[in-house]
């Protein structure tokens, strides 16, 4: 087990591209291992332009989209973007893919089916490996490709996506909480997928998406009692799979529960099982316990937000990491 917990953070394109790049530079200076920038076309700003500019202005930090989809971006386009980013930041980038959520929704499209996602992930992998892939009878091939194997991770919040990640990807960026029971259950699904494909589960990359809200304990622990947007409780964002992992932690919430009916004590239990909620010292200690209890070594800090606040820059989380958490985590 590594002594240091690797910590990445979600950064939205909530400011102009040059300003987001400056924020990413601050993340590097603060000691973050990586930054994942969301791929939201409707923001009017492109994640790969942002990542490429950030790559040219940083030296160490890992950079990746969090997360691209295979509906609004063709596999050939995704492969070319991944190779281009690798040329700017060799050895410190990778792809994360998923069926799509807000970007797909904003384009009036439906999320990719598991069958289609599987097909497209394999297509991108083969293109990056220099192989030919056929699209409607037309052979596609990259004229230039990465010199190294460029990892592709699936962003997964449910069992079926975790199984698919184990089968066809290099690992998973997974939202399953921090409770050891939840993590053990998620790893079982990864293992099922890997075994189906005759792969070694130990070779899969694990990055745990960890919701985080830094601040006064009483205030930040209200998040489970809020709505993400009308008709969707915060605890069911991005999907209802969150409830499955809470059940593995001994917390049984019905689907569609009015979050305002959750008691303060139950909200405390949810926060402790699901992520990092409290002062910076508490958040660092909770991560260290997750490493001890469940072998968590790499996290993607996902600042708590609702539909309206999703583009706010995570300044409080950056400052908490810079002041307290970085030194505590190794």
């Amino acid at each position: 087990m590594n002594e240091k917990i690797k910590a990445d953070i979600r950064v939205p394109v909530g400011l102009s591209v040059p300003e987001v790049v400056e924020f990413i530079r601050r993340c590097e200076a603060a000691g973050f291992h990586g930054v994942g920038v969301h791929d939201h076309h409707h923001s009017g700003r492109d994640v790969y332009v942002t990542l490429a500019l950030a790559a040219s202005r940083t030296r160490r930090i890992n950079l990746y989209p969090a997360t691209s989809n295979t509906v609004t971006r063709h596999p050939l386009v995704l492969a070319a973007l991944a190779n281009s980013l690798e040329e700017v930041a060799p050895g410190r980038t990778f792809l994360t893919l998923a069926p799509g959520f807000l970007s797909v929704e904003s384009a009036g499209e439906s999320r990719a089916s598991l069958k289609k996602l599987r097909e497209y992930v394999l297509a991108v992998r083969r293109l990056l490996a220099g192989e030919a892939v056929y699209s409607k009878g037309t052979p596609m091939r990259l004229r230039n490709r990465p010199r190294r194997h460029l990892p592709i991770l699936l962003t997964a919040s449910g069992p079926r996506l975790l199984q698919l990640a184990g089968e066809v990807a290099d690992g998973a960026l997974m939202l399953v909480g921090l409770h050891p029971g939840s993590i053990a259950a998620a790893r079982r699904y990864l293992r099922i997928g890997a075994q189906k494909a005759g792969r070694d589960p130990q070779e899969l990359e694990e990055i745990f998406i960890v919701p985080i809200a830094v601040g006064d304990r009483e205030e930040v622990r209200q998040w489970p009692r809020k709505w993400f947007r009308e008709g969707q409780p915060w605890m069911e964002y991005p999907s209802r799979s969150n409830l499955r992992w809470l059940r593995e932690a001994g917390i049984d919430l019905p689907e569609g529960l009015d979050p305002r009916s959750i008691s303060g004590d139950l909200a405390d239990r949810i926060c402790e099982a699901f992520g990092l909620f409290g002062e910076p010292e508490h958040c660092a200690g909770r991560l260290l316990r997750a490493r001890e209890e469940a072998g968590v070594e790499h996290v993607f800090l996902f600042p708590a937000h609702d539909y309206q606040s999703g583009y706010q820059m995570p300044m409080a989380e950056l400052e908490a990491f810079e002041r307290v958490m970085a030194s505590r985590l190794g």
Side-chain angles (χ1 to χ4, degrees):
M1 185 181 299
N2 294 333
E3 292 184 1
K4 182 179 176 66
I5 296 178
K6 294 184 287 188
D8 303 349
I9 188 169
R10 171 196 182 267
V11 172
V13 282
L15 299 171
S16 69
V17 171
E19 289 174 299
V20 173
V21 169
E22 287 305 307
F23 189 87
I24 292 173
R25 293 184 68 198
R26 282 199 60 184
C27 291
E28 181 176 60
F32 277 106
H33 176 268
V35 162
V37 181
H38 65 199
D39 190 359
H40 286 183
H41 315 311
H42 52 284
S43 71
R45 296 167 179 141
D46 185 78
V47 64
Y48 291 95
V49 172
T50 305
L51 290 170
L53 184 56
S56 70
R57 300 291 303 280
T58 55
R59 295 182 299 131
R60 174 194 56 79
I61 198 165
N62 282 4
L63 300 163
Y64 52 94
T67 294
S68 290
N69 71 80
T70 58
V71 175
T72 59
R73 294 191 191 270
H74 189 276
L76 183 62
V77 173
L78 282 167
L81 288 168
N83 178 64
S84 299
L85 188 56
E86 173 69 10
E87 288 184 348
V88 185
R92 54 189 181 106
T93 186
F94 55 90
L95 273 183
T96 68
L97 300 176
F101 183 45
L102 293 179
S103 279
V104 169
E105 182 181 285
S106 68
E109 300 287 349
S110 300
R111 302 183 191 188
S113 66
L114 286 179
K115 179 181 178 181
K116 187 61 70 172
L117 180 61
R118 182 184 189 278
E119 174 188 329
Y120 280 6
V121 170
L122 290 173
V124 175
R125 289 194 69 166
R126 289 167 181 158
L127 287 165
L128 289 171
E131 301 175 22
V133 174
Y134 285 81
S135 176
K136 299 179 181 179
T138 300
M140 303 182 297
R141 188 189 296 271
L142 289 183
R143 183 170 181 177
N144 299 286
R145 63 183 182 87
R147 295 182 178 180
R148 69 174 179 117
H149 172 74
L150 200 153
I152 299 176
L153 276 63
L154 285 191
T155 299
S157 59
R160 293 190 300 167
L161 274 173
L162 285 167
Q163 286 189 45
L164 185 62
E167 181 185 354
V168 303
D170 294 291
L173 186 67
M174 61 183 113
L175 177 59
V176 300
L178 286 177
H179 190 277
S182 306
I183 290 174
R187 284 173 171 156
R188 284 197 295 271
Y189 289 110
L190 274 175
R191 186 166 60 249
I192 289 170
Q195 291 172 344
K196 179 180 178 181
R199 308 171 71 197
D200 182 358
Q202 298 299 318
E203 294 180 357
L204 297 175
E205 176 77 12
E206 294 181 350
I207 304 178
F208 292 91
I209 301 173
V210 180
I212 180 172
V214 176
D216 176 74
R217 181 186 178 94
E218 291 300 318
E219 180 180 347
V220 300
R221 292 201 168 206
Q222 295 303 310
W223 275 103
R225 308 173 72 182
K226 296 182 179 183
W227 297 92
F228 174 69
R229 59 182 174 181
E230 185 177 355
Q232 186 176 23
W234 185 80
M235 282 310 307
E236 296 184 18
Y237 165 69
S239 78
R240 293 173 177 169
S241 293
N242 295 342
L243 305 183
R244 169 187 288 271
W245 308 119
L246 285 176
R247 284 195 293 273
E248 297 287 351
I251 302 171
D252 195 359
L253 299 179
E255 292 184 4
L257 176 70
D258 186 331
R260 294 168 296 186
S261 68
I262 295 175
S263 69
D265 288 344
L266 181 55
D268 279 348
R269 291 178 59 206
I270 292 170
C271 287
E272 196 66 11
F274 197 56
L276 309 176
F277 298 84
E279 299 292 343
E281 280 286 352
H282 171 82
C283 293
R286 181 66 186 91
L287 274 183
L288 292 171
R289 181 153 60 88
R291 181 179 64 182
E292 184 70 22
E293 294 176 341
V296 171
E297 297 181 354
H298 193 170
V299 297
F300 176 69
L301 302 182
F302 193 77
H305 63 275
D306 59 20
Y307 186 73
Q308 296 299 325
S309 63
Y311 290 93
Q312 293 177 3
M313 305 304 286
M315 187 61 70
E317 291 76 16
L318 169 61
E319 292 176 349
F321 191 84
E322 191 173 35
R323 287 190 298 107
V324 177
M325 297 178 66
S327 60
R328 287 287 313 278
L329 299 181

